[in-house]
Amino acid sequence: MIKSKRIRKPRMWEVDFFRGFAIIMVIWDHLMVDFYMFQYTWVDSGVKWLMELGQFGADYLDSYLRLFWRPVFLFIFFFASGLSTAFSKNNLVRGLKLAVVSVAVSLFTYLITEMTGENLFILFGVLHCIAVIILCYALLAYAIDGIVRLSERLAGKEHSKRLSDLTLGIVCLALSFLFIWINNKYNTSLYAQDYQSSYITTDKQWLGLFFNVYSWATADYFPLFPFIS
């Protein structure tokens, strides 16, 4: 019996390009943070080129280049990841896989922190943030599709996937405007440069899942806002 070959849809190289570019920039930013963190250890070592690397990382983190370009790189990264949901066959499975990887990253960085004494623990980083957003999108898509199917059945009509997709798009657009408003009203700016203005003041620690709260600020920290919008 001859098995039929599965026809794979061509990938959009533009999405892959921008996502790859953003990933490289994120890696660069984290590398500079590592240089900054180890600069004092490298000063004690007396090795000149290591000391220069540490100073380079410190200068970059305090520069206006990072202040203005980091939010742009983050926007490209999350925007490209968001576009990928439109081409995914099963966003729920995709989100669950990424959630498992995120939990593994948290456990690994926790163990490394305990063994080395360096603060490398990641509580809610970029992978955690993207995983939660994808899962929220997948559940919203299932809910809207179910509501549309039910309304069509009650009206005696056949199911229209186009109507489900259109309804999902309108709801997502409306939520984006709502999320932007919530972020501007309650969260800190991505362009906050000084330490105190980088975090909101609150006694409700669970808000760290949504907004920049100091107690959640581990080695990598990406609350849902503004990235979910």
Side-chain angles (χ1 to χ4, degrees), residues 147-204:
I147 293 172
V148 171
R149 286 177 181 271
L150 179 60
S151 62
E152 288 173 333
R153 180 175 296 180
L154 293 175
K157 299 179 180 179
E158 294 185 0
H159 175 61
S160 172
K161 187 177 183 302
R162 180 175 296 180
L163 180 59
S164 293
D165 293 341
L166 178 61
T167 305
L168 177 61
I170 293 173
V171 172
C172 287
L173 183 62
L175 287 176
S176 293
F177 284 113
L178 175 62
F179 292 156
I180 290 172
W181 178 82
I182 292 174
N183 179 73
N184 292 337
K185 185 173 178 62
Y186 297 106
N187 201 18
T188 57
S189 171
L190 283 175
Y191 292 97
Q193 190 174 22
D194 61 285
Y195 183 77
Q196 291 183 345
S197 64
S198 298
Y199 303 100
I200 65 170
T201 302
T202 179
D203 295 329
K204 301 175 181 178

Side-chain angles (χ1 to χ4, degrees), residues 107-161:
L107 291 174
F108 177 74
T109 54
Y110 175 78
L111 293 175
I112 294 296
T113 298
E114 290 295 312
M115 289 188 294
T116 64
E118 297 287 344
N119 186 18
L120 302 174
F121 175 57
I122 297 176
L123 175 62
F124 197 81
V126 63
L127 295 181
H128 302 73
C129 183
I130 294 177
V132 171
I133 292 173
I134 292 175
L135 288 174
C136 288
Y137 174 82
L139 294 176
L140 179 64
Y142 281 126
I144 289 177
D145 186 63
I147 293 172
V148 171
R149 286 177 181 271
L150 179 60
S151 62
E152 288 173 333
R153 180 175 296 180
L154 293 175
K157 299 179 180 179
E158 294 185 0
H159 175 61
S160 172
K161 187 177 183 302

